[in-house]
Amino acid sequence: MGMDQKQTVLRLSAEKLYAQELEALRESDRDAKPAGWQLSPKAVLTFITGGKAGGTLITPKYIGNKRLIEMAIATLLTDRALLLIGEPGTAKSWLSENLTAAIHGDSSKVVQGTAGTSEEHVRYSWNYALLLAQGPSDQALIRSPILRAMESGGIARFEEISRCASEVQDALISILSEKTISIPELGREVAAERGFSIIATANTRDRGVNEMSAALKRRFNILVLPSPSSIETEIDIVRRRVAEISANYELKAAQPDDEAIRKVVTIFRELRSGLTLDGKEKIKPPSGVISTAEAISLLTGSMALAGSFGSGQLSDEDVAAGLQGAIVKDEEKDRIVWKEYLENVMKKRGASWRSLYSACTEMNG
Ligand SMILES: Nc1ncnc2c1ncn2[C@@H]1O[C@H](COP(=O)(O)OP(=O)(O)OP(=O)(O)O)[C@@H](O)[C@H]1O
Ligand SMILES: [Mg+2]
């Protein structure tokens, strides 16, 4: 991203955000590129997991099991599509966007799955004014992101696929097995160029991946993205992403220090697992999702508070406000769960936690 040019877009796509890294990888890439790919599989791996390209440092985008990423990339070399599943906030969408940016250079071909997604969103629809005026024509055709990816030999993303109705999922089966979409109104068939694939995501908390038809699931290689295995990994993810995201928002606050991050991640891991880190005490989990992604947005939110209304240094009051918002989603129940945690766990942790404990207790009322 050129710093001379002021960025006004709220959120840059991965290919824009990491344009320099992608360029450096393209220049230093000595391995063969599969048909339709902008980078070799090894260079894609470096983009996702971090490393060097010539003299340029490549920041890790996904932090975790490297083998998992190798398997994801290898899937896209075959005729199977890739389905990333897991708990909320395990970087399914983030990984899908970055893989697509690295391989295809355009992560914007996205179908968002909802209960209202129709077959037309998956295949094509018409500009009805033109259709009525001229009859079916190429100009009147509105291509879905998937159809456009087929024509360009690129990757389409399908977010939250398990939330779609079964007709929509069925339409996808034929696309994934035939690799064509027929447009009978124009008397033609679009056959996918080499390089075409789909990366779909689904969240295991929503209406289940289990409810997807077996026929559709067979057309995907399914990879499960786990919650971060160790506290150190999770701290690393949170630290890096908070730094990147807050820089983008220009928050005028200092980065949270390691101690603040460690405390937030500790609280999150304990509430998520229902057990203190030392395994000695059981904890009631709150109703909402206590994911890594929530920890990241909690800390950037606290930085916004500190930057705009505080000293610019993250205070325990700023963190307490963030924790309250992240944990107490259901007024009644979660307030009690949080209070129990504060009294039974945090209060007993001694001097270094005392000030955060007081701030949280005051917030929780
Ligand atoms: N292992 C990880 N490595 C790097 N970033 C991570 C990791 N886990 C979570 N994150 C960060 O968490 C944030 C949210 O991730 P994302 O939106 O992709 O989650 P998701 O799995 O799609 O969640 P949902 O199921 O709610 O859609 C991103 O900013 C991402 O960088
Ligand atoms: Mg997602």
Side-chain angles (χ1 to χ4, degrees):
M1 191 183 13
M3 276 304 167
D4 40 341
Q5 214 179 340
K6 188 127 173 79
Q7 181 211 322
T8 54
V9 178
L10 183 56
R11 183 183 183 281
L12 287 171
S13 62
E15 59 271 21
K16 295 228 172 74
L17 188 57
Y18 300 117
Q20 279 177 2
E21 292 188 11
L22 289 169
E23 184 54 38
L25 282 163
R26 263 193 292 278
E27 271 168 20
S28 65
D29 200 358
R30 299 281 169 270
D31 294 306
K33 298 180 189 58
W37 286 38
Q38 303 209 340
L39 292 174
S40 67
K42 279 206 179 118
V44 174
L45 181 68
T46 304
F47 179 69
I48 301 292
T49 59
K52 286 213 127 187
T56 306
L57 195 69
I58 307 297
T59 56
K61 315 300 174 302
Y62 181 82
I63 296 160
N65 186 348
K66 200 167 176 174
R67 189 70 186 153
L68 209 58
I69 306 301
E70 290 177 357
M71 284 157 64
I73 297 169
T75 298
L76 296 168
L77 290 167
T78 70
D79 69 343
R80 302 189 96 202
L82 176 63
L83 174 57
L84 302 173
I85 67 174
E87 291 276 303
T90 45
K92 301 179 293 296
S93 302
W94 177 242
L95 178 59
S96 146
E97 180 182 352
N98 278 284
L99 278 173
T100 309
I103 295 171
H104 177 47
D106 172 12
S107 63
S108 71
K109 299 187 180 85
V110 185
V111 176
Q112 181 65 50
T114 68
T117 305
S118 71
E119 245 191 276
E120 295 190 331
H121 295 121
V122 173
R123 294 158 59 85
Y124 59 88
S125 58
W126 298 98
N127 173 331
Y128 285 101
L130 274 182
L131 185 66
L132 288 176
Q134 322 175 334
S137 67
D138 237 4
Q139 292 78 29
L141 186 71
I142 300 174
R143 294 162 168 78
S144 73
I146 294 176
L147 183 55
R148 284 186 281 127
M150 287 172 88
E151 285 179 335
S152 63
I155 296 178
R157 297 167 51 207
F158 203 132
E159 286 286 299
E160 307 291 349
I161 192 174
S162 61
R163 294 173 65 190
C164 295
S166 53
E167 308 88 77
V168 178
Q169 298 189 14
D170 286 347
L172 208 56
I173 294 180
S174 81
I175 292 173
L176 288 176
S177 33
E178 314 298 328
K179 306 283 195 280
T180 58
I181 290 182
S182 75
I183 310 175
E185 297 92 333
L186 295 179
R188 69 182 167 95
E189 210 157 76
V190 176
E193 292 290 315
R194 295 188 66 175
F196 167 70
S197 194
I198 291 179
I199 304 180
T201 65
N203 172 323
T204 41
R205 282 265 188 128
D206 282 347
R207 193 161 64 108
V209 177
N210 296 330
E211 288 170 40
M212 286 172 62
S213 74
L216 182 56
K217 275 193 276 185
R218 268 203 307 281
R219 275 147 184 103
F220 282 103
N221 230 356
I222 301 179
L223 288 183
V224 183
L225 298 191
S227 294
S229 53
S230 72
I231 184 165
E232 299 309 327
T233 311
E234 190 159 4
I235 288 172
D236 188 26
I237 296 169
V238 171
R239 185 192 303 111
R240 283 172 191 276
R241 290 296 291 153
V242 168
E244 286 188 344
I245 293 169
S246 62
N248 187 36
Y249 294 155
E250 301 173 352
L251 287 182
K252 298 182 185 65
Q255 291 298 317
D257 57 26
D258 282 359
E259 199 190 327
I261 298 178
R262 183 173 293 274
K263 280 179 182 162
V264 168
V265 172
T266 301
I267 295 167
F268 269 44
R269 289 182 77 84
E270 295 188 324
L271 289 173
R272 192 186 299 147
S273 65
L275 206 62
T276 50
L277 288 188
D278 59 13
K280 288 200 179 129
E281 199 165 345
K282 282 200 177 145
I283 301 161
K284 264 190 231 139
S287 64
V289 177
I290 307 293
S291 71
T292 313
E294 291 274 340
I296 294 166
S297 55
L298 178 167
L299 283 164
T300 46
S302 303
M303 280 176 70
L305 273 177
S308 305
F309 304 110
S311 66
Q313 298 289 332
L314 213 60
S315 68
D316 284 323
E317 284 72 25
D318 298 324
V319 176
L323 283 166
Q324 185 78 19
I327 293 163
V328 182
K329 294 270 161 65
D330 173 313
E331 267 297 305
E332 305 248 304
K333 282 187 223 131
D334 292 340
R335 199 181 282 274
I336 296 168
V337 168
W338 185 218
K339 192 175 177 61
E340 281 184 13
Y341 180 87
L342 290 172
E343 296 306 317
N344 299 341
V345 182
M346 208 197 280
K347 191 177 184 179
K348 297 178 188 158
R349 288 227 152 108
S352 64
W353 286 73
R354 188 50 47 90
S355 141
L356 182 62
Y357 162 78
S358 305
C360 289
T361 309
E362 191 165 328
M363 275 290 330
N364 199 37

